[in-house]
Amino acid sequence: MWYRHLLTVGLIFFFFSCAKKKEQFTVRYQPITESVYASAVVKSKHQYQVYSKVNGLLEQLFVAEGDLVNKGTPLFRVSNPSVQLNADNAQIAADYAAMSMNKEKLAEAKSAIGMAKLTLENDRLLMERQRDLWRQQIGSRIELEQRELAYQKSKTAFDAANYKYAELQKQLAFAAKQAKKNLEISTAIAGDYVAISQYKGKVYQILIDAGETVTTQTLVAVIGDAEKFELELEVDEYDIAKIRIGQKMVLQLDSYKDSVFNAQVSSIIPIMNERSKTFTIHADFIQQPSILYPNVTAEANIIIAQKDSALIIPRIYLIDGQFVLMQNKEKRKVTIGLKDYEQVEILQGLKPGEIILKPEQ
């Protein structure tokens, strides 16, 4: 039985030795790609939310979900009787204030100028006649002064009539313009009660029914391009400095689990969302799926840099981000370059073929 005991001890020693043996990796050249992860949502091109511009009752919907619309297509109408009444009142006021409706006032003022002019001319003639008599020493000084005073009063009255006519013209012109502008405003407000499409596209969603009350805060519909889609991605603030317009990305859509698609960064919104600590970027599909819907989610890896041949080691073999453990247990400092989720490029400190040990976790 002694040999069985010896065999058991040997097996225990063998397994213990194997368990103690460290994993190792041979440094070698391989392709490597550094990328930044981002969560994404599919959006229709020019996708936007339609709100009512005014408060009122949703009187009629002109479109249904799935309908194709052109720019300027009526979407829905909101009713509010007081707005139409205001528009009617503005029309009445504009008609009343129109210059053509005030010809009588202008004619009356013009007639007053004519009468003042006749009086002025008559008083001028009487004054001149009295002066001629005074030069002939006929009449009194008081009579001459009375004629001169009458002439001055007539002249003042004539000037006043002219001023009154000019002022009336200005007042009527201002009132007409003001009434016309008020009419335009009332008409524009009344026009806001019919919402129109801002782009050619598809009605993806209608959120309320006819007969419901709407306000300027009420979301009525969602509209976007019927064929072209884009990606809206959220990038962590620690990675945003690496993102550039034109960078490629690979992504996987939740509705196409077995497929990988390519896209390209098209724009970067230059402000951080303080709540999520992320930046929003947009990307265009390089190859778009044949069937796609807004709000489909995706995961993307934005390619920052890549090399076809780089000296690499697994990231788990890196100690404190700058050391590796050599086969002889020596701790050696290295300089790293590109990184992906599993590998890291070594720029200095190691050579191809060298063996490094996996550090204890």
Side-chain angles (χ1 to χ4, degrees):
M1 298 293 292
W2 61 270
Y3 60 89
R4 290 185 179 179
H5 178 71
L6 184 61
L7 178 62
T8 301
V9 173
L11 289 173
I12 292 174
F13 178 78
F14 174 76
F15 284 117
F16 181 78
S17 298
C18 289
K20 283 292 186 179
K21 185 177 180 180
K22 288 183 178 293
E23 294 183 43
Q24 60 185 33
F25 179 82
T26 301
V27 182
R28 57 179 176 266
Y29 282 101
Q30 285 185 199
I32 187 171
T33 299
E34 183 174 350
S35 62
V36 167
Y37 171 82
S39 59
V41 176
V42 174
K43 298 287 186 181
S44 169
K45 278 280 190 179
H46 306 302
Q47 181 175 322
Y48 69 101
Q49 298 174 321
V50 183
Y51 291 86
S52 175
K53 293 183 179 180
V54 290
N55 301 328
L57 191 71
L58 185 61
E59 183 179 47
Q60 185 177 3
L61 284 164
F62 300 117
V63 294
E65 290 176 346
D67 284 356
L68 298 177
V69 295
N70 292 314
K71 183 178 181 180
T73 298
L75 302 174
F76 59 86
R77 179 173 61 231
V78 177
S79 66
N80 190 324
S82 63
V83 173
Q84 188 58 51
L85 291 175
N86 289 337
D88 293 342
N89 285 336
Q91 182 66 63
I92 294 171
D95 291 341
Y96 178 78
M99 293 292 287
S100 59
M101 297 294 291
N102 290 279
K103 288 181 179 179
E104 292 183 0
K105 291 182 180 179
L106 290 171
E108 183 180 351
K110 194 76 172 176
S111 178
I113 293 176
M115 290 299 297
K117 185 176 182 181
L118 289 175
T119 302
L120 174 64
E121 184 64 20
N122 183 64
D123 287 339
R124 186 186 66 81
L125 292 174
L126 291 174
M127 182 187 66
E128 292 295 332
R129 184 179 301 170
Q130 192 65 38
R131 284 177 176 175
D132 288 340
L133 291 173
W134 179 251
R135 281 192 289 270
Q136 298 174 27
Q137 296 184 349
I138 301 173
S140 65
R141 180 69 182 177
I142 294 177
E143 288 178 321
L144 176 59
E145 289 176 351
Q146 288 177 338
R147 292 299 181 188
E148 288 177 341
L149 180 60
Y151 172 75
Q152 290 298 327
K153 287 182 178 180
S154 298
K155 188 175 184 304
T156 300
F158 176 71
D159 291 340
N162 277 287
Y163 173 79
K164 185 177 180 181
Y165 179 79
E167 190 63 23
L168 179 62
Q169 279 186 313
K170 290 180 182 179
Q171 290 176 355
L172 293 177
F174 174 77
K177 288 181 180 179
Q178 189 177 49
K180 184 179 179 182
K181 183 60 65 176
N182 289 336
L183 177 61
E184 290 175 358
I185 293 172
S186 297
T187 303
I189 292 174
D192 286 341
Y193 280 73
V194 176
I196 61 173
S197 175
Q198 301 300 311
Y199 299 98
K200 178 180 179 181
K202 177 187 286 188
V203 180
Y204 283 103
Q205 189 176 18
I206 294 177
L207 292 98
I208 64 173
D209 297 320
E212 293 186 47
T213 300
V214 296
T215 69
T216 55
Q217 304 299 316
T218 303
L219 176 59
V220 180
V222 177
I223 294 178
D225 197 292
E227 299 177 354
K228 296 180 181 179
F229 294 83
E230 64 178 359
L231 292 157
E232 187 177 280
L233 304 98
E234 298 298 322
V235 176
D236 192 274
E237 64 173 314
Y238 297 109
D239 295 321
I240 191 62
K242 303 174 186 176
I243 305 301
R244 299 287 185 275
I245 292 176
Q247 286 174 336
K248 303 287 178 48
M249 67 181 70
V250 293
L251 57 104
Q252 189 174 48
L253 300 169
D254 288 350
S255 55
Y256 288 89
K257 281 292 187 182
D258 298 327
S259 301
V260 175
F261 299 93
N262 296 318
Q264 189 172 20
V265 178
S266 59
S267 66
I268 301 171
I269 307 302
I271 188 169
M272 186 181 74
N273 184 317
E274 294 183 0
R275 181 172 297 177
S276 64
K277 302 297 183 182
T278 60
F279 284 80
T280 299
I281 69 172
H282 294 99
D284 292 327
F285 280 98
I286 294 175
Q287 51 189 96
Q288 181 177 298
S290 56
I291 300 175
L292 204 54
Y293 298 98
N295 297 340
V296 169
T297 56
E299 293 184 334
N301 287 300
I302 306 167
I303 298 172
I304 305 304
Q306 57 186 142
K307 289 183 179 180
D308 295 331
S309 180
L311 196 63
I312 64 98
I313 65 170
R315 290 187 68 166
I316 58 175
Y317 279 68
L318 201 60
I319 303 171
D320 297 332
Q322 56 180 339
F323 297 99
V324 294
L325 189 63
M326 303 304 295
Q327 193 175 21
N328 61 1
K329 306 297 180 66
E330 171 198 352
K331 195 175 181 181
R332 185 184 297 180
K333 186 175 182 179
V334 294
T335 302
I336 64 173
L338 302 183
K339 295 181 291 185
D340 64 16
Y341 294 108
E342 296 181 349
Q343 304 176 133
V344 60
E345 179 189 15
I346 302 300
L347 299 176
Q348 292 179 347
L350 289 175
K351 295 179 181 179
E354 289 188 298
I355 296 174
I356 59 175
L357 301 179
K358 184 180 178 181
E360 295 182 359
Q361 300 300 316

